[in-house]
Amino acid sequence: MPEALSQLPSRKTIRHFLSWFAGISMVLVPLLRLLPETTFLHPSDYTVTWLGKIICYMVLALSLDLVWGLAGILSLGHGLFFALGGYAFGMYLMRSIGRDGVYQSDLPDFMVFLDWKELPWYWTGTQHFAWAAILAIALPSAVAFVFGFFAFRSRIKGVYFSIITQALTFAAMLLFFRNETGFGGNNGFTDFKRILGYDITAPTTRTILFMLSAILLSAALWGSSLLARTRFGRILTAVRDAEARLRFCGYEPLGFKLAIWTLSAGLAGLAGALYVPQVGIINPSEMSAANSIEVAIWVAVGGRGSLVGPLAGAGIVNVGKSWLTATVPDLWLYALGFLFILVTLFLPHGVVGLVGRLSSSRSTPGGKA
Amino acid sequence: MSAILVLDDITVSFDGFKALDRLYLAVDEGELRCIIGPNGAGKTTMMDVVTGKTRPDKGKALFRQEVNLAMLSEAEIAREGIGRKFQKPTVFEQLSVMENLELALSGPRGILRALRFRPSPREKERMEEVLATVGLLESGERSAGELSHGQKQWLEIGMLLAQEPGILLLDEPVAGMTDAETAKTAELFRSLAGKHTLVVVEHDMDFVAALGGKVTVMAEGRVLSEGSLAEVQADERVIESYLGR
Ligand SMILES: Nc1ncnc2c1ncn2[C@@H]1O[C@H](COP(=O)(O)OP(=O)(O)O)[C@@H](O)[C@H]1O
Ligand SMILES: [Mg+2]
């Protein structure tokens, strides 16, 4: 099979994709937003927020592709890192409510409700945007680093690793469900009012959050494409193909795996941090086992290891989800399962692999398709 | 000549079964040593011990007289200069032939260096040289997964050469090769001896004869006999345990 080399698209393809994506998300959409609301072409607040949310999912899918696609490490717990980023930044949003909450206290409402007199120590500094932003990356990265260190050092691999990541996110969900944990229990954080002093529901704020998500996605895709093409990227491929061989070539896979794993978690956290102000809520259900599995399905549907494929997968599945849950909600889970089976059986390289095959068989008839 | 590798009194047991039983083996610098012996004799396990994949229960493994291999990880042992070819050819199938060699190329193995690495003109030359040596000059851009079994064997040997180890451990390197390929491999190994130390495990007696080095016969985790091929073939114990079967 000549499609072996790598699923990685060429630099040119990435550039094309990025210029289209940036053109639409950073020029076209903001311009259309300037049109009067009554015009047919004006994207509504709902639409922009919905698109922004999907872009955050795309970044999450990309972060999973960095470990699963490039290094063959299947995480079924990436929803945890996404949620941790969301919670970290959510602390800032909760603090920004100030005294405008129901109880008009300096403390978040849920703490007043629990009869707490002061903020727990780990809320220190979260009134600062910058600290919360740093936390949104650092917290998931730190959790990933510690977990990854022990898992990779014990040479836990394959399906065992995946199952442990499921357990990890499930355990975290139980922890966050508890009121005593200090993150709002099963209600999580919601009713945000402001971000950096601006009304969080104002049309301009929404447009800017949408654009920031688009910038994050572009930068992350560009960076990932560069990274995958370095020797570091090839070492990750080697980890996926034959880790033992790599050791006998003199490389310690531990450091490389840990580096990409931690980086991936940080990126997922950043995506979560941008997701929360747009959807206006974060709660422990984001850490459910099913959520993380869904992320893996996006990546598989789009085509793992191709960086752009997972973005397409996240887009396709979530558009489908929005449409189905609005029309026949009961069908959604069946549709998702069916899609997954379809892709596993017939599209090992996902939608992107299919598109690649179709276009290459057109350009070289009878060629290496 | 001085011994580059010494295994002294090495014992390895798996659930009470002794795969290596007080094995003693010394290989001189620049030597081309063949290890033969029936299946299950412990030849692969011996290589596992040298390369850090298996820890011995007892005994010492010394490299260049001073490096205690039992204290090092697989990667550290490789960096000390011990290269290994697996019994089943193992290459990075999703990478191109050239990229396989590039990863094996001797040099720093850290993460930051890997981010910045670009092969120098000298390193490129070296890779071309290795490609030519193992007869894969035309296949540099092909993905390793597409190669034939024999070609994968050659690529893995090429990776060893790119790594520039002091000693090469080769576990059944000509398995699955045609006669012509086998003859070429024997020629290559002979040309490497002297500059490198080679330890070759092989079943193919014609190949062992073609290599012409000292032969060690292993059986049941021990050394049964050692000497030239003619000498060991004449050894009563060897005939009994191996050749006579
Ligand atoms: N990881 C292992 N666990 C249990 N038994 C093993 C293991 N590795 C090797 N053995 C056993 O040790 C013996 C020696 O094996 P090996 O070194 O592969 O022999 P050779 O390479 O000479 O054919 C065999 O009987 C084999 O079954
Ligand atoms: Mg063997």
Side-chain angles (χ1 to χ4, degrees), chain B residues 166-223:
Chain B
I167 183 167
L168 289 80
L169 308 177
L170 301 127
D171 203 349
E172 306 197 15
V174 296
M177 283 193 186
T178 63
D179 288 352
E181 286 172 331
T182 303
K184 248 169 71 184
T185 310
E187 198 182 310
L188 169 66
F189 286 2
R190 274 204 315 269
S191 74
L192 291 173
K195 208 165 63 168
H196 300 270
T197 309
L198 286 88
V199 177
V200 184
V201 163
E202 196 44 71
H203 282 302
D204 184 336
M205 278 306 153
D206 294 335
F207 181 68
V208 173
L211 290 181
K214 195 167 162 186
V215 175
T216 299
V217 184
M218 281 180 65
E220 293 170 4
R222 295 162 159 268
V223 172

Side-chain angles (χ1 to χ4, degrees), chain B residues 13-244:
Chain B
S13 29
F14 297 111
D15 305 321
F17 168 76
K18 284 187 175 158
L20 293 181
D21 187 9
R22 311 197 61 174
L23 177 76
Y24 181 87
L25 185 75
V27 180
D28 284 339
E29 182 112 44
E31 197 186 333
L32 201 181
R33 173 73 62 94
C34 281
I35 315 262
I36 61 174
N39 261 328
K43 305 180 298 288
T44 299
T45 306
M46 180 273 291
M47 290 197 170
D48 287 346
V49 167
V50 175
T51 54
K53 192 170 174 226
T54 301
R55 298 287 171 203
D57 302 326
K58 229 178 75 204
K60 263 204 319 246
L62 279 185
F63 182 54
R64 296 193 201 280
Q65 267 123 33
E66 49 180 24
V67 183
N68 182 359
L69 297 174
M71 304 296 289
L72 304 179
S73 73
E74 291 114 306
E76 282 167 336
I77 291 173
R79 292 200 294 269
E80 283 291 334
I82 297 182
R84 171 179 194 177
K85 205 201 94 40
F86 287 87
Q87 186 163 348
K88 176 174 164 285
T90 314
V91 295
F92 306 122
E93 309 231 332
Q94 296 272 315
L95 296 176
S96 74
V97 168
M98 205 60 156
E99 287 171 330
N100 268 273
L101 287 184
E102 196 198 277
L103 279 189
L105 216 51
S106 63
R109 294 315 200 209
I111 295 175
L112 293 178
R113 295 299 283 267
L115 285 172
R116 283 179 291 141
F117 175 85
R118 264 169 205 286
S120 68
R122 235 200 72 237
E123 285 172 320
K124 279 190 185 142
E125 212 172 285
R126 171 103 189 101
M127 288 193 284
E128 293 283 335
E129 217 177 272
V130 170
L131 275 187
T133 310
V134 296
L136 289 172
L137 213 43
E138 254 82 84
S139 311
E141 297 308 315
R142 283 174 70 195
S143 94
E146 291 173 43
L147 300 178
S148 71
H149 188 84
Q151 284 176 315
K152 282 183 194 166
Q153 298 272 42
W154 278 84
L155 174 56
E156 203 179 352
I157 294 168
M159 288 167 74
L160 278 194
L161 296 180
Q163 208 176 324
E164 299 184 74
I167 183 167
L168 289 80
L169 308 177
L170 301 127
D171 203 349
E172 306 197 15
V174 296
M177 283 193 186
T178 63
D179 288 352
E181 286 172 331
T182 303
K184 248 169 71 184
T185 310
E187 198 182 310
L188 169 66
F189 286 2
R190 274 204 315 269
S191 74
L192 291 173
K195 208 165 63 168
H196 300 270
T197 309
L198 286 88
V199 177
V200 184
V201 163
E202 196 44 71
H203 282 302
D204 184 336
M205 278 306 153
D206 294 335
F207 181 68
V208 173
L211 290 181
K214 195 167 162 186
V215 175
T216 299
V217 184
M218 281 180 65
E220 293 170 4
R222 295 162 159 268
V223 172
L224 205 59
S225 177
E226 212 164 75
S228 71
L229 184 59
E231 280 165 15
V232 300
Q233 274 175 327
D235 191 319
E236 286 294 328
R237 288 168 302 177
V238 176
I239 296 168
E240 205 176 299
S241 111
Y242 179 50
L243 299 169

Side-chain angles (χ1 to χ4, degrees), chain A residues 4-25:
Chain A
L5 252 193
S6 157
Q7 263 52 64
L8 200 65
S10 67
R11 280 191 177 94
K12 208 174 118 209
T13 310
I14 299 267
R15 261 203 308 273
H16 268 273
F17 179 87
L18 275 176
S19 33
W20 275 99
F21 178 76
I24 293 172
S25 62

Side-chain angles (χ1 to χ4, degrees), chain A residues 53-65 68 74 76 78-79 82 268 271 275 286 290-322 332 336 339-340 343 347 349-352:
Chain A
K53 179 179 102 171
I54 289 184
I55 291 179
C56 290
Y57 285 154
M58 288 176 168
V59 177
L60 175 57
L62 178 63
S63 77
L64 179 60
D65 201 36
W68 189 26
L74 173 54
L76 291 177
H78 254 50
F82 184 77
Y275 169 87
E286 294 290 344
N291 255 25
S292 290
I293 294 176
E294 212 177 306
V295 183
I297 296 180
W298 304 341
V299 174
V301 166
R304 76 182 256 231
S306 65
L307 302 182
V308 288
L311 312 185
I316 292 167
V317 176
N318 280 294
V319 168
K321 184 179 187 173
S322 294
W332 167 239
L336 187 66
L339 184 67
F340 185 61
V343 165
L347 293 178
H349 303 305
V351 173
V352 158

